[in-house]
Each structure stands twice: as C-alpha cells, then as structure tokens.
Amino acid sequence: MSMKRKQILSKEEALKLHHKTLVIDSQQPPATNGFLFNNNMKIKLNELEQKGYKRNQAAGVLASMAAMEIHKTDDAKKEYLELWDKAGVNVCSATYAGPPSGLKDVDAAFETSVRGIAQARGIIDSLDGELRLVLKADDIEETYAERKRGLILDFQDTLAFGINLDRVDTFYHLGLRVVQLTYNLSNFVGDGCTELTKAGLTYFGKSMVEKLNSLNMAVDVSHCSQQVGWDALDISTSPIIITHSNSNTIAKHDRAKDDDLAKAVADAGGFFGVTIVPGFMQENEHLGTLDDFATQVEHLVNVMGIDHVCVGTDKMGPGPGTDSLFEYPTEMPETKVGAFNWSGFRDEHRVLPPNYADWKMEGYNDFGDWPNLTIKLAERGFNEEEIKKLLGLNYLRVYKDVIG
C-alpha cells in the first residue's frame, strides 16, 4: 500500500491550474444531446409525458430539439457554451452509439448513430467555431491554444456497423475516431462485461479490431468482458484504451477492470479513464464522494503508472448513472414496462431505478462541477505535473500515437 501523499497545491492553486491546463473528459456521452434543457424543451417534455412517451423515447426528441434550439437562438447557444466554460473542460469524447434496442436491430442502430452525428455536426456548425470536431491530435492542441471547445466522436457499441466492415469507413468519414467493441451484452464482435458468459472476441471481432487498426481508430474496451480486453490486446497493433471504468480491487463490479488487465493496457501504451458513477467506484453507500474518485485514481496510478491514467467521468447530471440535464417526471418510466433491458444493467449493478434512484455523486451535480475533481486530486497530493497528465496530457499522447 502506498504512503499517503502530502498536499502540495492549495484549493485556489488547483482551481487556477484547472482553468489553464488542457482538460479532456475521455467519456462524456451526452456532450451534444444532454447539455441543454431550456424552457422550450421543458414544455416539450411535458407534452411528451402527456402522450405517454417513455424516457428513452423522449430523450431522442429532446436531443433533436437541442440541436435546433442552438441553431435558432442566441440564448440557447450561450447557455450551452456557458456549461462548457463552467466545467473548464477543453475537449470531450461523446457517444453516438450506445445501448442497442436489440441485437438484430442493425438498421435502427445505424440510423440512430447517423442522426446523432448529424445533430452533433449541426451544433458545431451553429456555434461558428466555438465547438470544433476533433479528428487529429493537432485539433486538440489548437482547440486548447485558442481556448475553444473540442468534440471527439465515439461509439460505445459496434452494432451500427452490423456485419459490414465497410460501414466503419462510412463512420470514419463522418468523424468517428474511438470505437468501443461492445456495450454490456454480446454483439457480433464479442461479449460485454455484464453478459452471462463473458467470452472473448469472435472471429468477426478479430476482423473488427484489424479494421479499426487499419484506419488508425482507437479500440476501446471499457464495457467489454475482461476476455475481450485481453483478446484485443493480443490482436491490436496499436495501444488499446479504457475510456471509462474503475478498478475491481477498490470496488467489485462487472463494469470495472482487474488490475492485471489495467497493467497490460498500460504496458501496451494505452490509458485508463476513471469514472465517477457512484455505484461503480464504490459499493457500500448510496452517496459516491470525490474521495472515492481520488482513491480509484491513486490505485490505478500505483498499478499503471502516472502516464496511463485519465479521467472519463461518464457522468453529466445528477442521479445514479450518466444522466443529463433533462428533468424527467418521476412517474415517466425508462422503457416499456416488461420489456427486456438491452442496456445489460441489472439491479446488482447499482445504477437502475427504482432501487438505486437516490444514488448520486457528492460534489458533482452536473458537468459544470468538473473543477471539483481537480481540486480533490490536488488535495490528495498530486503535484502540478501529475495533474496535467491526469487531466489531459496522457490522453493527448495516446491519441497522437494511435490516431495521429
């Protein structure tokens, strides 16, 4: 066990550092579809509730509406950008392929991803250079130097590709750069981390990794089974990454990773982004704390080295999961009652309502509270050079190595 570090930077110094250094959130899923909830959107949500919409249905309507609100009104533009500025985050990796609606629903997954990317690019166009699409490492550095905001497009599932590897090229040309091989359950590529069998890559999955390598796209194994992680390490000619997870040693969870896999990812040149989802990073209390987050970071730094740990919050709003700014009525159900939950999360994962609806993160109500993470890292004894690496430089280095 490592010795307790002595605090070097004060709270004020840490806050100043946060707002002047490069800060990258390696997983902020709703960066273009959950950062705005203005009065017009609140009215629309009330209308959707009256029509019997479920939350997963309403989310798509509100995401589309957010893009149009930002396009049409200066107030929406200002509100959206102010959240980024309050967070002090320069670049986010946001998700445009998440939990599937069914393993065979490839066309729906494809359409959902195309629509999401179109909306994201619409927001980028509407903001006149204030938000930029990140394709190369130079884009990250220029975004930071000019004090703008950068968006990396990622997938958290490969179902949108179906069994057609040419679709990888299609999404690459749309701006996709980071691809998680599976979500929680199995797909054509392999098993996810909450699947019954937790097997490794399929033969098609092997071809998928090779295809991603050929395009210099990053291979992410955050939601994948441990074996998929090992298989990807064995097959990939580039470093693989874990954009958002936690350590099983600190808190046992299907979504977490074992230390030997984390160390292997580091040895291969990759990184591990630490989440702040309360039920993932600790297992005893309904209230996750900034200290729980720092404990995860400290442990993974001890396992992997300071050059291979990042922050991938996987959290935008209040509540037990990633969430957003959308304030859903309490009585609005997540999905159709009795429908199979294709997200793969179950009650034991400490993230689903109603049993875990009151789980939340202390000190981080929404994305705007991001600076509190930096302050806590300083409180736990990380120095300026180390914090710079954790907040952005480690991610930038790997992005350069893999994507260019």
Side-chain angles (χ1 to χ4, degrees):
M1 183 177 292
S2 61
M3 295 179 62
K4 184 177 180 180
R5 294 164 171 260
K6 180 180 178 181
Q7 184 172 352
I8 298 170
L9 299 174
S10 67
K11 177 179 178 180
E12 292 73 21
E13 290 170 330
L15 189 59
K16 182 178 180 180
L17 174 62
H18 178 86
H19 285 287
K20 76 174 185 180
T21 197
L22 172 65
V23 180
I24 301 174
D25 194 329
S26 64
Q27 189 52 255
Q28 184 51 243
T32 57
N33 57 31
F35 274 26
L36 181 71
F37 190 52
N38 63 13
N39 286 333
N40 289 338
M41 296 172 70
K42 292 175 182 178
I43 292 170
K44 173 59 71 172
L45 181 55
N46 287 333
E47 293 175 357
L48 295 175
E49 181 193 10
Q50 295 300 316
K51 293 179 180 179
Y53 275 60
K54 310 301 184 286
R55 294 189 188 194
N56 64 333
Q57 297 172 312
V61 175
L62 293 175
S64 178
M65 188 174 180
M68 291 308 299
E69 289 289 307
I70 291 171
H71 176 70
K72 293 188 299 183
T73 73
D74 290 338
D75 285 346
K77 289 183 177 71
K78 180 181 178 183
E79 187 176 339
Y80 178 79
L81 293 174
E82 282 180 346
L83 181 61
W84 278 83
D85 295 343
K86 182 182 177 185
V89 173
N90 306 107
V91 176
C92 285
S93 186
T95 299
Y96 299 93
S101 57
L103 182 58
K104 294 183 179 180
D105 210 352
V106 174
D107 290 342
F110 178 84
E111 182 179 345
T112 297
S113 293
V114 170
R115 187 187 308 117
I117 292 174
Q119 290 166 356
R121 297 192 68 141
I123 289 173
I124 290 170
D125 291 344
S126 297
L127 292 173
D128 298 324
E130 292 298 323
L131 178 66
R132 300 176 177 181
L133 180 63
V134 171
L135 300 175
K136 297 288 187 180
D138 286 349
D139 297 324
I140 295 177
E141 294 177 312
E142 290 173 10
T143 295
Y144 168 66
E146 297 175 20
R147 309 310 292 176
K148 304 299 183 181
R149 306 145 198 90
L151 187 73
I152 297 167
L153 306 186
D154 73 59
F155 272 11
Q156 286 197 52
D157 191 38
T158 50
L159 190 62
F161 302 139
I163 55 173
N164 184 356
L165 291 175
D166 289 340
R167 281 189 171 182
V168 182
D169 297 279
T170 299
F171 281 104
Y172 177 85
H173 293 308
L174 289 174
L176 182 67
R177 290 297 181 269
V178 179
V179 175
Q180 183 177 275
L181 298 176
T182 75
Y183 200 67
N184 289 334
L185 298 180
S186 64
N187 60 19
F188 299 119
V189 166
D191 274 9
C193 60
T194 72
E195 185 55 89
L196 187 64
T197 52
K198 297 182 176 61
L201 287 174
T202 61
Y203 276 112
F204 180 70
K206 178 178 182 293
S207 296
M208 179 65 71
V209 172
E210 293 168 347
K211 178 66 175 182
L212 295 172
N213 284 166
S214 73
L215 291 172
N216 295 330
M217 298 173 77
V219 175
D220 182 8
V221 297
S222 296
H223 278 254
C224 303
S225 70
Q226 303 273 354
Q227 189 57 51
V228 164
W230 287 110
D231 291 348
L233 276 168
D234 184 54
I235 295 166
S236 181
T237 56
S238 297
I240 72 168
I241 59 177
I242 300 169
T243 59
H244 59 299
S245 189
N246 298 98
S247 170
N248 259 327
T249 299
I250 302 301
K252 190 70 175 175
H253 199 287
D254 282 340
R255 270 284 285 110
K257 302 299 181 188
D258 293 343
D259 287 350
D260 57 350
L261 179 60
K263 181 65 164 59
V265 168
D267 290 345
F271 70 74
F272 192 125
V274 179
T275 86
I276 59 168
V277 177
F280 293 175
M281 63 181 181
Q282 55 86 43
E283 53 190 327
N284 299 315
E285 300 292 340
H286 74 283
L287 188 67
T289 68
L290 295 172
D291 279 308
D292 293 323
F293 157 73
T295 296
Q296 287 275 349
V297 172
E298 286 177 339
H299 176 76
L300 286 163
V301 165
N302 290 336
V303 170
M304 304 176 71
I306 190 65
D307 295 320
H308 299 281
V309 181
C310 304
V311 181
T313 61
D314 196 24
K315 189 154 188 60
M316 191 282 142
T322 300
D323 301 296
S324 69
L325 289 185
F326 303 158
E327 298 170 0
Y328 295 108
T330 304
E331 57 276 13
M332 179 180 273
E334 184 69 34
T335 58
K336 182 180 178 181
V337 176
F340 181 77
N341 184 357
W342 282 101
S343 78
F345 284 121
R346 299 181 294 277
D347 205 49
E348 67 262 30
H349 296 128
R350 304 187 292 272
V351 72
L352 294 178
N355 291 344
Y356 294 92
D358 63 340
W359 281 51
K360 59 184 178 179
M361 178 69 184
E362 184 180 47
Y364 188 104
N365 187 61
D366 63 41
F367 181 65
D369 293 321
W370 222 104
N372 291 339
L373 304 180
T374 303
I375 292 169
K376 179 55 65 174
L377 292 175
E379 183 182 304
R380 294 289 280 263
F382 288 98
N383 62 37
E384 181 171 337
E385 180 183 356
E386 291 170 329
I387 290 175
K388 285 182 177 180
K389 290 182 177 183
L390 294 170
L391 295 192
L393 294 182
N394 289 343
Y395 187 104
L396 176 62
R397 186 196 72 251
V398 176
Y399 197 97
K400 282 183 178 179
D401 290 346
V402 176
I403 297 172

